[in-house]
Amino acid sequence: MNDRDLKNFAEELDFKWYEGSTGYDTKFLGDNYEVPHPKLRPDIEQDIAPLKNGGKVLDYTHFSIVMSKSRRLAYYTVVNIDGSQLVIIKRKKKDKWYFDPRIEREFQCGLEVYEHKDIDQGHLTRRLDPVWGGEELANKANEDTFHLTNCAPQHEGLNRKTWSDLEDYILQNAANYKMKVTVFTGPVFRSDDVIYREIQIPAEFWKIAVIVKEDGNLSATAYLQSQKCLIDNLEFTYGEYKTYQVHISTIENLTGLKFGELRKYDPKDSLESTRVHIIKSPEDVII
């Protein structure tokens, strides 16, 4: 049985696994720097997949997720990264993915869409980001990232260049400078997204990284990458794609999520009114 065959199988953990999972901490960056969950536009609020206990937020180890009923994918994930407590855990040779028993399976995208040779299970909260805080906790966080709620269909070429470099840049700086970082990640849902096996595949993904700078002020930077040219024709292997640094307000307009006070700490808002800034390397990031 090869790796592609293994994608036909997903397991479900016992409810006890989630006991004590507090999820994303809004005051992780300090009591003076609360970063709340984004508010959702009223129509989106109605589309949140409910938990069986009546809640709306799936809490894991150091990160949380809010799901869409209609798209069966996450509206967003948000993770706490502690660069002073990171633990190195190697990825297993064969990934094991899990349904989350706290919400109905009908609201979770199964493995069938990932059987296409060009479509990968793209982590939204990156596997390494919540892996900190002691070996036992780090191992639990690592396993938590392999929930189907935390992945989205991504073309295999999406993460091979600047998007991956950007994620490395955020994590490496957190480690090098012992920083705490909050990272929001999610897809852009459009009505004309390509449909494959009854799942609409998002053409764009976004990320917002929040840190406390040396001067004591917050910095909140937003990024966007499109895989549209890669998935318009799923038989076409590669195409040109770019990562952009954009205004937080751009992400808000695209997603219907509102990040409130974070807009005040967006360095692009203090620059010229250029809508996008192309990221060719980590040195291009404006903090």
Side-chain angles (χ1 to χ4, degrees):
M1 183 178 290
N2 59 36
D3 288 343
R4 285 290 169 180
D5 292 330
L6 287 170
K7 286 189 174 184
N8 289 314
F9 299 92
E11 300 180 13
E12 191 173 274
L13 295 168
D14 189 270
F15 276 94
K16 291 182 179 179
W17 174 268
Y18 307 95
E19 291 178 357
S21 296
T22 56
Y24 169 65
D25 180 1
T26 62
K27 293 188 176 181
F28 181 70
L29 300 181
D31 290 339
N32 297 325
Y33 305 102
E34 184 169 9
V35 182
H37 284 263
K39 293 183 178 180
L40 284 69
R41 205 171 56 212
D43 60 312
I44 294 177
E45 186 80 26
Q46 297 298 315
D47 187 51
I48 293 177
L51 277 61
K52 293 176 181 177
N53 66 5
K56 295 181 178 180
V57 179
L58 289 164
D59 288 327
Y60 299 95
T61 307
H62 302 146
F63 69 101
S64 297
I65 296 175
V66 171
M67 294 288 293
S68 162
K69 287 190 295 186
S70 61
R71 298 296 293 260
R72 298 167 60 193
L73 300 170
Y75 272 116
Y76 69 90
T77 72
V78 56
V79 61
N80 300 129
I81 305 173
D82 190 334
S84 68
Q85 299 188 65
L86 291 172
V87 177
I88 298 175
I89 296 179
K90 292 183 178 180
R91 190 165 185 166
K92 298 175 183 177
K93 289 183 179 180
K94 294 179 180 178
D95 294 340
K96 182 184 292 186
W97 289 87
Y98 304 98
F99 285 104
D100 193 315
R102 295 174 294 174
I103 62 172
E104 300 293 345
R105 284 199 181 186
E106 65 181 292
F107 302 141
Q108 303 176 63
C109 178
L111 294 173
E112 60 277 0
V113 69
Y114 301 102
E115 292 175 358
H116 192 285
K117 63 183 179 66
D118 292 337
I119 299 297
D120 285 345
Q121 289 147 302
H123 277 76
L124 293 175
T125 283
R126 193 185 189 202
R127 182 184 72 86
L128 297 173
D129 286 355
V131 179
W132 55 268
E135 188 173 349
E136 182 178 352
L137 200 61
N139 273 293
K140 191 170 188 295
N142 177 74
E143 204 74 6
D144 275 350
T145 66
F146 285 94
H147 278 80
L148 290 168
T149 52
N150 186 46
C151 72
Q154 293 181 346
H155 191 280
E156 61 180 7
L158 178 66
N159 287 325
R160 294 189 180 185
K161 292 187 179 179
T162 49
W163 193 248
S164 178
D165 290 342
L166 175 63
E167 292 180 324
D168 288 341
Y169 176 79
I170 293 170
L171 190 64
Q172 288 171 6
N173 276 279
N176 293 340
Y177 297 101
K178 310 300 181 185
M179 291 192 308
K180 290 184 175 182
V181 187
T182 286
V183 179
F184 296 88
T185 305
V188 175
F189 292 147
R190 296 184 183 275
S191 60
D192 62 350
D193 283 334
V194 171
I195 298 175
Y196 179 71
R197 295 202 171 184
E198 300 182 352
I199 296 294
Q200 283 189 279
I201 300 177
E204 296 165 302
F205 292 86
W206 57 271
K207 191 178 294 289
I208 295 176
V210 189
I211 63 170
V212 179
K213 297 189 296 183
E214 291 183 353
D215 62 7
N217 292 315
L218 286 182
S219 173
T221 51
Y223 309 92
L224 182 70
Q225 187 175 63
S226 173
Q227 63 174 5
K228 184 172 178 58
C229 58
L230 297 174
I231 64 173
D232 273 345
N233 181 351
L234 287 175
E235 299 307 318
F236 178 72
T237 22
Y238 292 103
E240 183 182 6
Y241 57 95
K242 297 178 181 178
T243 298
Y244 301 94
Q245 184 167 352
V246 300
H247 295 279
I248 288 177
S249 57
T250 299
I251 303 300
E252 292 180 320
N253 292 335
L254 289 172
T255 63
L257 308 180
K258 299 299 180 183
F259 291 90
E261 292 292 304
L262 281 189
R263 289 191 298 272
K264 293 168 45 178
Y265 306 104
D266 183 350
K268 275 192 64 62
D269 282 341
S270 63
L271 301 175
E272 70 281 357
S273 59
T274 305
R275 294 182 62 192
V276 297
H277 172 67
I278 298 176
I279 304 296
K280 297 180 180 178
S281 70
E283 289 72 25
D284 293 326
V285 175
I286 303 170
I287 301 295

